[in-house]
Amino acid sequence: QVQLMESGGGSVQAGGSLRLSCKASGDTNTPTCMGWFPQSPGNEREGVARISLRGGSTFYADSVKGRFAISHDTTTNTLYLQMNNLKPEDSGIYYCAAAISLWSCFNGATGDPREFEYWGQGTQVTVSS
C-alpha cells in the first residue's frame, strides 16, 4: 500500500504562486507514475501534470503549460507542483495520485484518474480575481 499526504494549498490572488507537496509513504517503490488532479465543484477530476518515476518525463495539460511545474524528490519520496501565474479557474481541491502502470503517464493529455490506484485526501487551492 502507498499513502499520500498533500500540503501547501491556500488562498492567493490571481497572478500569485503556490507550491504543493505530496509526501508518499509505505511501499514507495510500487508506483511508476505520479500526478496532480484538481477537482472543482460540479466537475470531475482532471489531470494537470504527471511525472514518470522511471526517467522523469513530465506531461502537462495545455491549460497549465508554462505556468506549472511538476517535480519529484526521490530521496524524500515527495512530489511537488509549483504553480505560477495562477488564475481563478485553477481553483479547486488538488489531489495527488500515484499509479502502478507507467502507461498512466503516457495516456492522453490530461491522464485518466481511473488508472491511478493511490490517492491523497486533497488540498484546497483558491485563486481570487
Side-chain angles (χ1 to χ4, degrees):
Q1 287 292 323
V2 178
Q3 293 79 45
L4 303 174
M5 178 67 74
E6 304 96 335
S7 61
S11 298
V12 296
Q13 291 190 327
S17 298
L18 284 173
R19 188 191 195 203
L20 305 184
S21 300
C22 173
K23 174 70 173 175
S25 59
D27 189 5
T28 56
N29 289 322
T30 295
T32 62
C33 176
M34 295 187 73
W36 291 95
F37 291 78
Q39 184 172 21
S40 55
N43 295 315
E44 296 182 353
R45 295 181 191 182
E46 188 172 80
V48 293
R50 288 158 287 156
I51 185 168
S52 164
L53 304 185
R54 302 292 186 264
S57 297
T58 57
F59 307 85
Y60 296 96
D62 288 342
S63 60
V64 305
K65 282 181 180 177
R67 300 189 298 120
F68 289 13
I70 189 171
S71 60
H72 181 260
D73 186 336
T74 58
T75 61
T76 61
N77 293 310
T78 303
L79 182 72
Y80 298 99
L81 185 66
Q82 178 66 44
M83 305 187 293
N84 299 324
N85 191 20
L86 282 160
K87 304 176 180 180
E89 52 264 40
D90 294 322
S91 298
I93 301 175
Y94 278 67
Y95 295 92
C96 167
I100 296 173
S101 173
L102 188 57
W103 167 248
S104 304
C105 266
F106 295 87
N107 184 22
T110 60
D112 186 344
R114 296 171 297 180
E115 296 179 351
F116 287 73
E117 292 85 359
Y118 305 106
W119 292 86
Q121 293 300 307
T123 185
Q124 178 72 49
V125 171
T126 302
V127 185
S128 57
S129 57

